[in-house]
Structure formats: structure tokens, C-alpha cells
Amino acid sequence: MHSRVAFVSYITIIRKELHRMFRLWSQTILPSAITTALYFVIFGAFIGSQIQSISGFSYIQFIMPGLVMMAVITNSFQQVVSGFYFAKFTKSIEEILVSPTPNWVIIAGYVTAGVIRGFVVGVVVLAIGLFFTHITVFNLWAILGFILLTAILFSLAGLLNALYAKNFDQVAIVPTFVLTPLTYLGGIFYSILFLPHFWQIVSKFNPILYMVNGFRYGFLGISDVNVWASFGILLGLTFLALLVLLRLFKKGAGLRN
């Protein structure tokens, strides 16, 4: 396929998905803004004022990077899983599949839209957090690297979920029973150093722990786990998810009856 034609296909997918995102802003952006504001009020202002500082930072400063990352994870995943499954449901995905558009272009288009939504909501959440506290920037490259890879990984995960989903209920299973528990147990609201040794070990099997701590390191310069190890794990999971998706698209899994 000619590179110019592939680029047009790529841009078309992104434009369609972003149009849906901004048209439904009250469902795609506003809920995260309201939920995060409540987190800041309840956990940051009310409960956080009664908690001692962590590594020299107030509790609200400690949880702020985690709340931003939680919004990025959730919205990147939701953007792709909802958009791609809806395309399957309406059969519009078949128009793309019968076109000469390569599979990697389809994946890249949906993933890019997921990353953009993750970034947009992440910036909104960060702006809300600045009304409650100030935040430092310890390493800008760590911030950008971790937020970009995390958004890509969960966009890929959303696409994987959409491939196998056969109804709208199955679209909600992974966010409800997998993503939400892993996120809340990923060190957003606490340091795993406060846990008993056994539970510290168990926590290290949660990949979201590494994303949250890597992102927190970018702002505050503190992390419960090695930052380079976190980056390596995140990079490895991203490549693994991409390879699995390319394989599934080639086989037509979830795309052909």
C-alpha cells in the first residue's frame, strides 16, 4: 500500500474517533474530571490533612501523580474498547477490513486516538489537582515517557478486549473486574513500603504499580521500585501486546465469524 494512502487511512481513523470523543465530551472527559475532583477533596483535603507526610511530601502531593495516571489508564482503555467494539457492532469495521488498509495502520489509528484521549484527560486531571496543591517536576522525560507508554499499552489492551467482546457486557468486564482492582492496588493511594513484606512481594506482580511509581518519580523524584526496571517492564508489555494484536488481526480473530 502506498505510504500516502496508508497515512490518509491512519488520519481518517483518528479523526473519526476524536470526533466521537469530543462530541460525547460529557461522557468521555467530564466524568473523570468530576471523579478526580472528589478524590482530591475527600482523600487529599479531608483525609490527607490527617496523614503524615510521605518522603517529605504532603499526602495530596503524593497521590496526585497516581490520580493522573489512573485517569490516563482508564480513558486510554475506554476510548479504544468502546470505539472498536462499536465499529464491530455496526459492521463499519468491515469497510476498513475490505480496503487495502494494512492491519498495523488500523491498530495505530485506534491506539493513537486512545493515547490522545488519555493525554487530554490527564491534563484536565492535572489542572484540577493544581487547585488543591502545587506539584514539582523532577524529571520531565520520565513523565512523558511513562505517560506515553502507559497510554499506548492500555490502548492496545482496549483493542484486545474489543476483539474478543461479543456483547456490550463483555466490554465492561475487564474494566470492572480487572482494571479497577489492579489500579486501586497499584500504589496510587499508598506506598507499598508501608505494607508487610509478603504483600510488598505480591504488589510487585501488579504491572500498574510500576507505571504509577515511574510517573510519580517524574514529578516527585521518589519511587517504591527501580525506575529503570519499571520502564523496561512497561516497554516489554507494550511490545508483547502489539505482537499479540498483530497476530490476532492476521488470523482474523474476533473479526470474522
Side-chain angles (χ1 to χ4, degrees), residues 18-69:
L18 292 185
H19 175 74
R20 182 177 66 87
M21 181 186 81
F22 287 111
R23 180 170 56 85
L24 301 173
W25 64 271
S26 60
Q27 299 176 33
T28 57
I29 299 175
L30 187 60
S32 291
I34 295 175
T35 301
T36 305
L38 291 174
Y39 280 133
F40 279 120
V41 172
I42 296 172
F43 291 99
F46 295 163
I47 298 176
S49 61
Q50 308 300 317
I51 300 176
Q52 63 181 358
S53 62
I54 302 175
S55 300
F57 296 96
S58 66
Y59 184 67
I60 191 170
Q61 288 177 313
F62 179 81
I63 68 173
M64 185 174 176
L67 291 176
V68 174
M69 185 57 81

Side-chain angles (χ1 to χ4, degrees), residues 40-231:
F40 279 120
V41 172
I42 296 172
F43 291 99
F46 295 163
I47 298 176
S49 61
Q50 308 300 317
I51 300 176
Q52 63 181 358
S53 62
I54 302 175
S55 300
F57 296 96
S58 66
Y59 184 67
I60 191 170
Q61 288 177 313
F62 179 81
I63 68 173
M64 185 174 176
L67 291 176
V68 174
M69 185 57 81
M70 180 170 69
V72 171
I73 289 171
T74 303
N75 284 273
S76 297
F77 185 93
Q78 289 288 357
Q79 173 67 28
V80 181
V81 71
S82 60
F84 193 82
Y85 179 76
F86 187 75
K88 283 176 54 180
F89 181 76
T90 59
K91 306 296 185 181
S92 61
I93 191 64
E94 295 177 0
E95 299 177 5
I96 302 177
L97 293 175
V98 299
S99 73
T101 304
N103 292 334
W104 68 267
V105 173
I106 300 174
I107 295 172
Y110 278 95
V111 168
T112 301
V115 170
I116 292 174
R117 174 170 165 182
F119 266 86
V120 169
V121 177
V123 170
V124 170
V125 170
L126 182 62
I128 292 173
L130 293 177
F131 282 98
F132 297 90
T133 186
H134 69 278
I135 196 74
T136 60
V137 175
F138 179 78
N139 189 318
L140 180 61
W141 294 111
I143 293 173
L144 295 177
F146 275 96
I147 196 172
L148 176 61
L149 280 178
T150 299
I152 292 174
L153 175 60
F154 282 95
S155 294
L156 292 170
L159 189 53
L160 185 61
N161 186 185
L163 276 177
Y164 281 105
K166 292 183 171 60
N167 52 57
F168 284 101
D169 289 335
Q170 292 183 2
V171 169
I173 286 177
V174 173
T176 303
F177 296 105
V178 179
L179 201 56
T180 298
L182 288 178
T183 302
Y184 280 98
L185 296 174
I188 293 176
F189 298 101
Y190 59 87
S191 167
I192 65 168
L193 300 180
F194 297 158
L195 301 176
H197 181 67
F198 173 77
W199 291 111
Q200 289 187 34
I201 296 175
V202 172
S203 296
K204 290 180 180 179
F205 286 94
N206 182 354
I208 293 180
L209 172 73
Y210 300 94
M211 304 169 199
V212 170
N213 274 276
F215 195 60
R216 181 177 288 134
Y217 172 82
F219 281 104
L220 308 180
I222 59 174
S223 176
D224 294 339
V225 292
N226 183 277
V227 176
W228 285 109
S230 300
F231 188 80

